[in-house]
Amino acid sequence: MAKADTSKNEAKTRGKPFQPGNPGGPGRPEGSRNKATLLLDKMAGDDAEAVLRKQLELAKNGDQRAAEIVLSRVWPARKSRPVSIALPPVSTAADVVSALGTVAGAMANGDLTPDEAQAVSAVLEGKRRAIETVELEARITALEQERK
């Protein structure tokens, strides 16, 4: 009887790439790298110092592209800048409207880029949602207390 049960279980899993209870499969071992990356790393490891020296030499001799490559590795481009904008106090969801008006005005004046204005607006929207969530929770709690 035990043999029959074993063959039934084998029949269920035979040909299936994943075992029951493991829907994602075993996956790739942690820290493993693909063959192309390993090959590129080996090639770079052999000649990396010579390539770097050549790029530095070209950059020192006025090659702007070489200088750009070297500098981009040493001094990466900033993804964003700190933004300073005087916003009105935001303590209610209605206050967000005024704050968004301030952001739109700063963008219109050129004090903020459209991307910066969008980022600040997203923060304000998050604050609005948080305020509304707290207000809704208080209302629900009050209704539940009345009901009791």
Side-chain angles (χ1 to χ4, degrees), residues 102-125:
T102 302
V103 171
M107 184 185 71
N109 292 337
D111 298 329
L112 294 177
T113 67
D115 288 340
E116 291 167 342
Q118 184 178 16
V120 173
S121 297
V123 170
L124 290 169
E125 172 61 15

Side-chain angles (χ1 to χ4, degrees), residues 46-137:
D46 294 343
D47 297 324
E49 189 174 340
V51 169
L52 178 59
R53 286 186 193 283
K54 184 63 176 178
Q55 283 298 108
L56 288 170
E57 179 186 324
L58 291 170
K60 287 177 183 177
N61 290 330
D63 185 329
Q64 292 299 311
R65 181 65 184 139
E68 181 183 332
I69 291 168
V70 171
L71 287 174
S72 71
R73 299 296 180 224
V74 176
W75 191 0
R78 181 181 266 182
K79 299 291 183 215
S80 63
R81 68 180 176 108
V83 174
S84 179
I85 181 172
L87 293 174
V90 178
S91 54
T92 67
D95 293 340
V96 172
V97 175
S98 175
L100 286 172
T102 302
V103 171
M107 184 185 71
N109 292 337
D111 298 329
L112 294 177
T113 67
D115 288 340
E116 291 167 342
Q118 184 178 16
V120 173
S121 297
V123 170
L124 290 169
E125 172 61 15
K127 183 151 186 179
R128 182 198 59 80
R129 284 194 312 258
I131 290 168
E132 286 182 349
T133 301
V134 169
E135 289 173 355
L136 284 173
E137 183 180 26

